[in-house]
Amino acid sequence: MVEAFGQPFGQGWPQVADLLLALVLSTGIGLERELRQKSAGMRTHTLVGLGAALMMLVSKYGFTDVLGNGVSLDPSRVAAQIVSGIGFIGGGLIFVHRGAVSGLTTAAAVWLTAGVGMAAGAGLPVLAALTTAAYFLVVFGYTALMNRLPWTRYAPSTLVVNYRDGEGVLRRALSECTSRGFVVRNLAADRDEEPGGARPKTVSVRLQVQGKGSLTELAAALSELDGMVNVATEDASIAS
């Protein structure tokens, strides 16, 4: 058994290995979020995982010098507080705009990263590694699977289109939706006035569409229209 190189007990190579494992696994999760340009990227996820692992190690070994003489500790109390604390970070990543919710997947990733760090700090490397592997299975494998599922016309989706005003872009966009088998159920425009009351150069419109076609292909087709600035989707299975 490897002896500890510092006092109090718990500052040995096994604990260093636990911290390094949390660092590597949480960095991997954060790198995926960073590449997708989400609000919480590699640094945030790495710090969450590493911090959770450290707190677990402190909970396990940080109070060994005060044990005895009727003093007993419950390491699980720190673990429970970690879960509660991560909830505040996750809540700050979720945004609601006009009834559309975004950031749920990233918030869930931060929550899971904390769990991975806790598992590593608790000395459960197999569970930490398997959970990280399962994360990548979900974010990559499930996305491909859901893209193959048939869409039901009863499930509405929302597209946000930004286009140059005065060029007939919206008319062509609505025609494109219809030609691809989609029905526009709702349309809401957001026209921000230019300084001095001038006519706005661009207009943002939210289109609620229903149909059995591919939402991804529809968004790609709309983005190719002349005068279209950009197209985004608020559908969680595609844009999260």
Side-chain angles (χ1 to χ4, degrees):
M1 181 176 179
V2 181
E3 295 182 357
F5 54 74
Q7 295 296 328
F9 174 74
Q11 298 187 94
W13 291 114
Q15 290 74 42
V16 173
D18 291 340
L19 283 176
L20 291 178
L21 178 63
L23 175 68
V24 172
L25 296 180
S26 57
T27 298
I29 296 175
L31 180 60
E32 183 273 332
R33 292 283 93 186
E34 186 77 31
L35 293 176
R36 291 176 182 257
Q37 298 182 346
K38 300 302 179 180
S39 54
M42 184 167 61
R43 291 181 299 178
T44 300
H45 285 77
T46 301
L47 291 175
V48 167
L50 188 64
L54 175 62
M55 284 182 275
M56 283 298 298
L57 289 171
V58 170
S59 178
K60 289 176 62 177
Y61 304 107
F63 308 101
T64 55
D65 56 335
V66 299
L67 293 177
N69 298 324
V71 178
S72 61
L73 300 175
D74 181 10
S76 65
R77 294 181 62 183
V78 173
Q81 295 303 314
I82 295 174
V83 176
S84 300
I86 292 301
F88 288 97
I89 298 179
L93 296 171
I94 301 174
F95 299 93
V96 181
H97 179 65
R98 293 182 179 178
V101 182
S102 61
L104 284 174
T105 301
T106 300
V110 170
W111 179 71
L112 182 138
T113 302
V116 169
M118 291 170 62
L124 305 172
V126 175
L127 292 182
L130 287 178
T131 301
T132 304
Y135 169 82
F136 288 105
L137 172 63
V138 170
V139 296
F140 290 113
Y142 281 30
T143 300
L145 174 63
M146 295 187 70
N147 287 337
R148 294 177 178 270
L149 293 177
W151 291 95
T152 171
R153 61 187 180 91
Y154 298 107
S157 302
T158 301
L159 291 173
V160 179
V161 298
N162 296 278
Y163 60 89
R164 293 195 297 269
D165 194 21
E167 300 182 16
V169 181
L170 181 58
R171 182 180 64 254
R172 297 197 300 272
L174 295 177
S175 177
E176 187 70 32
C177 292
T178 303
S179 65
R180 291 181 175 272
F182 286 89
V183 176
V184 179
R185 295 298 184 187
N186 190 23
L187 185 152
D190 183 10
R191 302 171 63 94
D192 294 330
E193 293 294 335
E194 293 289 316
R199 187 173 182 175
K201 296 180 180 179
T202 61
V203 180
S204 177
V205 173
R206 297 175 70 254
L207 300 175
Q208 187 180 68
V209 297
Q210 288 179 293
K212 294 184 178 180
S214 170
L215 188 65
T216 304
E217 294 179 1
L218 174 62
L222 293 178
S223 65
E224 296 296 327
L225 295 177
D226 292 336
M228 188 68 70
V229 178
N230 60 63
V231 179
T233 173
E234 293 180 350
D235 185 271
S237 64
I238 296 176
S240 61

